[in-house]
Amino acid sequence: MKSKRMTTLLRLAQKTRSKLLSIFFPCPLPRATLKYAYEEPEAQQGLRSDALVLASQLDGKTFRLPDLWKVFAEWPIAANPHAKRLEVLVDSLLERIITNERKLKALKKADFARLISLWYPDAEWPELEIATAYSVWIFVWDDEVDAGDTEVSNDEELARAYYRKSLSTVHYLLGLDREETGEAFVEPQSLHPNMALFADVGRGMRSATDRIQRERFYRELENFMIQVGVEHGHRMRGSIPSVAKYLEIRSGSVGCAPQIAITDCMLKIRLPESIMEGAAMKALWKETVVICLILNDIYSVQKEIAQGSLFNLVPVIFKNCKPEKQSLDTVTHEIEVLLRESMRGFEDAATSLGEMTSSDAQLNEEVKSFIKWCRYFITGVLQWSLESKRYGMADCLHEDGSLSIVL
């Protein structure tokens, strides 16, 4: 308690001294002359408003998680036999667009090939090439805004221009700027480096899907980019929304829905629009996205806070707890409740889809394949998040499968 009171007094003294310095010395003094007994941790520098307060509250605390594999014990997990070939492909795609050696090394360490292998265990190579180009593209595209070390990530106006240009390019590369006339598609002469990989995606999607499928894919990408922009605005202002509002934003910005939109292409099936646009399928998508965003957020929270971002489910729930219940144990409990509710919604939607198609054996099998892929998508996120050096969860893992994550 004494230590906490001393820290508060030191912060007050720091603010008072800064104010006096600004009055008597309008020009900034050299950094060496501005040393204090208390300084913000590096990850907190640049934070403001609610995010700065929240970072101080969470700094050094331990976030504990149970072994979530017990929750998903009955769900399938498998790896594609092309795993090694995928590693070569992913590395070559990254080398095409990443010029910063440090960033390239970090992205290669993340082992996206492993994730794609887990997501698409049954896919054949032509489909894997499309999925891999898309998956690498969306990680790299998102990092440009999310990582905090680029001009775009630190300037809202530049970020908005980045979204607009990217969306325009996506629309063109998917062949949606023109009507289906049979004319040869003209590849653009120059692209933003982060959009170069999407040319591969567009080429694959134009040949493997119809316009309605590509329009659906585009709509999901549009929502993704819009919500990334909303999320970026919260980061820049340091504002923390309610849990419900956060889940609405993050359901778009997590980037899972566009991945689901290419599922029928990956499975080489074409479900009727009455199924694809029906309430049961929309519920399945919604719950798949929510489960994935929960898993993504809880395993990436340490990395994100270290990068100066508090826009994550863990800090958001902590901020919105009642004062008398504000603890990370409460956060863990709330996350488990959210996860189980979403899983129940997923199973209800899966049951409805099965019942709707029970009279058509082939359609029923194709719907079951779609549902099974959604399960693979989720267990793939879970397994990769625990393994990948991107999040460093191996250092937090106990023998019983539980985790202790120091924030």
Side-chain angles (χ1 to χ4, degrees), residues 130 174 176 180 201-217 261-266 268-270:
I130 300 172
L174 288 175
L176 299 175
E180 304 287 352
V201 181
R203 201 175 301 116
M205 292 293 287
R206 290 194 309 272
S207 65
T209 60
D210 57 51
R211 188 181 182 92
I212 292 174
Q213 289 172 296
R214 296 196 304 278
E215 285 174 346
R216 181 164 34 244
F217 182 41
I262 64 173
T263 301
D264 48 357
C265 171
M266 295 300 103
K268 296 200 285 191
I269 60 176
R270 182 62 172 97

Side-chain angles (χ1 to χ4, degrees), residues 40-317:
E40 291 176 350
E42 187 177 341
Q44 294 181 24
Q45 293 172 12
L47 290 175
R48 55 181 65 86
S49 191
D50 289 345
L52 179 57
V53 174
L54 198 49
S56 300
Q57 290 176 312
L58 292 172
D59 186 37
K61 284 187 167 61
T62 300
F63 173 50
R64 293 181 174 82
L65 284 170
D67 178 7
L68 292 182
W69 267 119
K70 292 176 181 175
V71 179
F72 294 96
E74 295 182 9
W75 285 37
I77 183 167
N80 194 287
H82 291 297
K84 287 295 180 185
R85 197 176 173 189
L86 277 170
E87 288 177 19
V88 176
L89 177 59
V90 168
D91 284 355
S92 69
L93 294 174
L94 289 170
E95 287 163 6
R96 272 173 54 187
I97 58 171
I98 305 296
T99 56
N100 181 300
E101 283 298 322
R102 180 187 60 81
K103 186 173 283 191
L104 178 61
K105 186 177 179 181
L107 287 168
K108 284 184 175 181
K109 274 187 174 180
D111 199 3
F112 296 129
R114 170 66 169 160
L115 177 60
I116 296 160
S117 170
L118 293 167
W119 275 348
Y120 300 104
D122 303 321
E124 295 177 9
W125 187 250
E127 288 70 41
L128 278 176
E129 287 185 295
I130 300 172
T132 303
Y134 171 73
S135 302
V136 173
W137 168 77
I138 200 168
F139 271 106
V140 173
W141 188 94
D142 189 52
D143 272 358
E144 183 77 15
V145 183
D146 202 30
D149 60 354
T150 65
E151 289 184 1
V152 168
S153 67
N154 292 304
D155 186 309
E156 281 199 77
E157 193 54 45
L158 283 177
R160 279 192 287 269
Y162 179 62
Y163 310 144
R164 285 194 297 269
K165 181 63 176 173
S166 297
L167 263 180
S168 173
T169 304
V170 164
H171 196 269
Y172 180 80
L173 290 172
L174 288 175
L176 299 175
D177 276 11
R178 60 199 180 91
E179 296 301 321
E180 304 287 352
T181 60
E183 295 177 21
F185 181 84
V186 179
E187 293 279 358
Q189 293 299 307
S190 61
L191 290 169
H192 184 289
N194 284 357
M195 295 305 299
L197 288 186
F198 202 88
D200 295 9
V201 181
R203 201 175 301 116
M205 292 293 287
R206 290 194 309 272
S207 65
T209 60
D210 57 51
R211 188 181 182 92
I212 292 174
Q213 289 172 296
R214 296 196 304 278
E215 285 174 346
R216 181 164 34 244
F217 182 41
Y218 174 79
R219 287 196 301 273
E220 295 299 346
L221 281 170
E222 182 179 39
N223 185 52
F224 160 68
M225 291 186 187
I226 288 169
Q227 297 304 339
V228 166
V230 174
E231 180 177 319
H232 187 246
H234 277 284
R235 291 182 197 274
M236 294 293 288
R237 292 188 298 275
S239 54
I240 305 294
S242 67
V243 175
K245 186 63 180 175
Y246 175 82
L247 289 173
E248 177 189 326
I249 297 166
R250 191 72 178 123
S251 288
S253 68
V254 73
C256 292
Q259 200 96 33
I260 303 172
I262 64 173
T263 301
D264 48 357
C265 171
M266 295 300 103
L267 296 174
K268 296 200 285 191
I269 60 176
R270 182 62 172 97
L271 295 177
E273 285 301 294
S274 58
I275 297 293
M276 293 302 294
E277 294 298 322
M281 181 62 82
K282 287 183 183 296
L284 187 80
W285 280 38
K286 172 182 174 290
E287 302 304 351
T288 300
V289 168
V290 170
I291 294 168
C292 283
L293 84 81
I294 291 171
L295 295 176
N296 178 265
D297 276 26
I298 60 179
Y299 295 127
S300 68
V301 63
Q302 187 183 64
K303 167 184 171 286
E304 290 184 13
I305 291 179
Q307 290 179 340
S309 173
L310 276 292
F311 202 82
N312 175 288
L313 185 60
V314 176
V316 168
I317 293 178

